Amino acid sequence: MKKATKKEIEAIKAAFLERYSDAVTELSYVNPYELVIAVALSAQCTDKRVNLITPALFEAYPTPKDLAEANIDDVKHLIQSCSFFNNKAINLIAMAKRIVDVYGGEVPLDEKELVTLAGVGQKTAHVVLIEYTQANLMAVDTHVFRVSHRLGLSDDPTATATEATLVKKFKTNLHQLHQGLVLFGRYICTAKNPKCDTECFLQPFCKSKDGFKAR
């Protein structure tokens, strides 16, 4: 597959920024505590499903202290429709305990601190910081990975390597580009039956036989 040229990368970046300049996560939350939980739950689970789960969870455990003291079976029951709910319930309680014990009940908005929380890896930390602080970071989920490869922005085999490549190529406005890549992949450049001829505004740059059919 061909790689995007420097000129194409600049054009792709401009198109994303024009289309998605105000894009934000589709996860529902009101504070960093709710956001980090929602992002952690969204791993291998859709945002739509997470948004169905979290209202009751947040009502039952409105603060880190409440969640830290929660009964594991009660938490599992509330999130049982989420993928890997057993492990996620364990991690949520452990995460809350550390937030209370180490950070005084406040979610640390720093990557090095965030990744010390149970269930929070680099991608989750980046998504939280991108959304809440508009940090100049990139995070690669299945949508970003797919779009990046179809557009010739990356041919890396892993999400971590793809992230590094996107950071190197885009450099700035990464939080907006991340949100744009996610939404573009979720609704237009879908895994199956991408909307190439009806909604795609990046047809001239597509390098994939699964994407723009005219190439």
Side-chain angles (χ1 to χ4, degrees):
M1 189 180 295
K2 292 182 179 179
K3 289 186 178 182
T5 65
K6 185 176 181 179
K7 186 175 182 180
E8 286 177 328
I9 293 169
E10 292 174 354
I12 290 168
K13 179 178 181 178
F16 270 117
L17 292 177
E18 180 180 0
R19 178 78 171 247
Y20 298 109
S21 61
D22 299 320
V24 295
T25 184
E26 293 187 311
L27 292 169
S28 299
Y29 73 97
V30 298
N31 54 46
Y33 164 66
E34 292 188 359
L35 177 60
V36 73
I37 288 175
V39 176
L41 288 174
S42 72
Q44 295 181 286
C45 186
T46 66
D47 287 7
K48 184 177 181 180
R49 169 58 54 188
V50 172
N51 287 339
L52 293 173
I53 293 169
T54 51
L57 182 67
F58 296 154
E59 182 178 2
Y61 310 109
T63 70
K65 185 175 185 297
D66 294 317
L67 184 55
E69 298 171 352
N71 177 280
I72 184 67
D73 291 328
D74 292 339
V75 176
K76 287 181 180 181
H77 176 72
L78 287 170
I79 68 169
Q80 63 183 338
S81 64
C82 187
S83 56
F84 305 104
F85 71 92
N86 284 308
N87 285 337
K88 287 179 179 179
I90 294 169
N91 284 334
L92 288 182
I93 292 176
M95 173 200 298
K97 287 180 178 178
R98 183 167 176 82
I99 291 172
V100 171
D101 294 342
V102 179
Y103 301 107
E106 298 292 331
V107 174
L109 294 175
D110 175 88
E111 181 179 351
K112 290 182 180 179
E113 304 296 337
L114 277 171
V115 296
T116 69
L117 302 178
V120 178
Q122 178 179 296
K123 188 185 84 170
T124 296
H126 282 194
V127 172
V128 169
L129 294 171
I130 286 166
E131 169 65 21
Y132 204 80
T133 72
Q134 290 76 57
N136 191 50
L137 296 169
M138 179 59 64
V140 176
D141 66 0
T142 182
H143 302 299
V144 177
F145 187 86
R146 179 175 63 255
V147 171
S148 299
H149 285 68
R150 286 181 176 175
L151 291 175
L153 296 170
S154 168
D155 59 2
D156 300 294
T158 67
T160 302
T162 299
E163 177 191 311
T165 294
L166 292 176
V167 170
K168 183 178 180 180
K169 290 185 175 180
F170 285 139
K171 295 182 176 64
T172 60
N173 302 101
L174 296 181
H175 75 281
Q176 294 163 307
L177 292 166
H178 163 76
Q179 305 285 28
L181 285 162
V182 170
L183 294 176
F184 180 69
R186 183 173 290 164
Y187 297 111
I188 298 176
C189 192
T190 50
K192 296 181 179 179
N193 303 314
K195 300 175 177 62
C196 306
D197 300 323
T198 56
E199 296 184 40
C200 184
F201 57 94
L202 293 171
Q203 285 186 353
F205 309 109
C206 185
K207 312 297 184 188
S208 174
K209 65 180 180 180
D210 297 322
F212 184 31
K213 302 302 189 297
R215 280 188 172 269

